[in-house]
Amino acid sequence: MTGQPSATIAQQTSAQSGLERGSIVSAVLTIDSERLFLESAFGQRVAAEVEEQGEQIATENRRIEAELEAEEKRLTDLRATMAPEEFRALANEFDEKVQRTRTAQAAKGRALNELLEKEREVFLAAAAPVMERLMSDAGATVILEQRSVFVSASAIEITDDAIALLDETLGSGE
């Protein structure tokens, strides 16, 4: 480690013993924004809500699938007793119903993904002042996404500190 400034060595020592907010002094900080969201109380609340709604959609999909399979079986059983044009009309009506149902269920899945993205945006907007505070405490001028940094000292990574401060400041966001 010869040639490194003593501040960097002090930061690395702090990093090894567990960073405390404000202990980093660096112009550049890094953060894992995905972890920031998912491990914060806010992100965990959102994830639980999205998971619950996703389970409801999956349960509904299974119920609908069973109903459609039963209806398809009834149609198949009726086929032998009907004129071909009558059966074709019922089969076409059933196919349209299946397509409408698929479209409606797919829309529910997309809406759930949109909700997740909207909540991420709300989180990031609410997190901005907290991140600015961490930046100021560290004397930093920028926070970079950790995944876009080729190599850096672990001492400038502030995700854990950011999560702790966000949980204190925002809580679950309710």
Side-chain angles (χ1 to χ4, degrees):
M1 288 194 150
T2 57
Q4 283 187 324
S6 59
T8 303
I9 294 169
Q11 289 171 8
Q12 288 172 343
T13 303
S14 292
Q16 293 166 351
S17 64
L19 289 174
E20 293 183 24
R21 203 170 349 177
S23 66
I24 299 172
V25 177
S26 175
V28 177
L29 302 172
T30 63
I31 197 156
D32 181 339
S33 62
E34 185 71 14
R35 222 182 98 220
L36 181 72
F37 179 71
L38 292 176
E39 293 181 17
S40 69
F42 190 110
Q44 289 175 354
R45 174 193 53 85
V46 170
E49 289 174 3
V50 167
E51 183 177 340
E52 180 182 335
Q53 290 180 32
E55 287 174 9
Q56 289 172 355
I57 292 170
T59 299
E60 184 178 28
N61 285 343
R62 287 188 296 274
R63 179 188 53 78
I64 290 169
E65 182 180 343
E67 290 171 358
L68 291 174
E69 285 175 0
E71 188 173 341
E72 183 179 31
K73 184 176 179 345
R74 281 191 302 275
L75 276 175
T76 301
D77 293 344
L78 283 175
R79 184 174 195 171
T81 65
M82 300 180 78
E85 49 287 335
E86 286 178 290
F87 178 77
R88 176 57 37 218
L90 288 177
N92 287 340
E93 186 178 303
F94 177 74
D95 287 343
E96 289 173 12
K97 179 179 180 178
V98 169
Q99 292 305 318
R100 284 191 311 271
T101 301
R102 283 183 180 155
T103 300
Q105 293 306 103
K108 289 177 184 179
R110 283 190 305 276
L112 192 55
N113 287 333
E114 290 170 8
L115 171 66
L116 178 60
E117 287 308 309
K118 179 182 166 243
E119 289 286 356
R120 275 185 197 271
E121 290 173 12
V122 168
F123 171 77
L124 291 175
V130 175
M131 303 311 297
E132 289 171 5
R133 178 173 157 196
L134 284 170
M135 234 172 47
S136 175
D137 289 351
T141 56
V142 67
I143 299 176
L144 301 174
E145 174 60 51
Q146 185 177 4
R147 287 178 294 249
S148 63
V149 174
F150 183 68
V151 68
S152 69
S154 61
I156 65 169
E157 206 285 325
I158 61 164
T159 306
D160 290 334
D161 288 338
I163 291 169
L165 186 56
L166 284 165
D167 285 351
E168 287 174 22
T169 308
L170 303 177
S172 66
E174 291 186 299

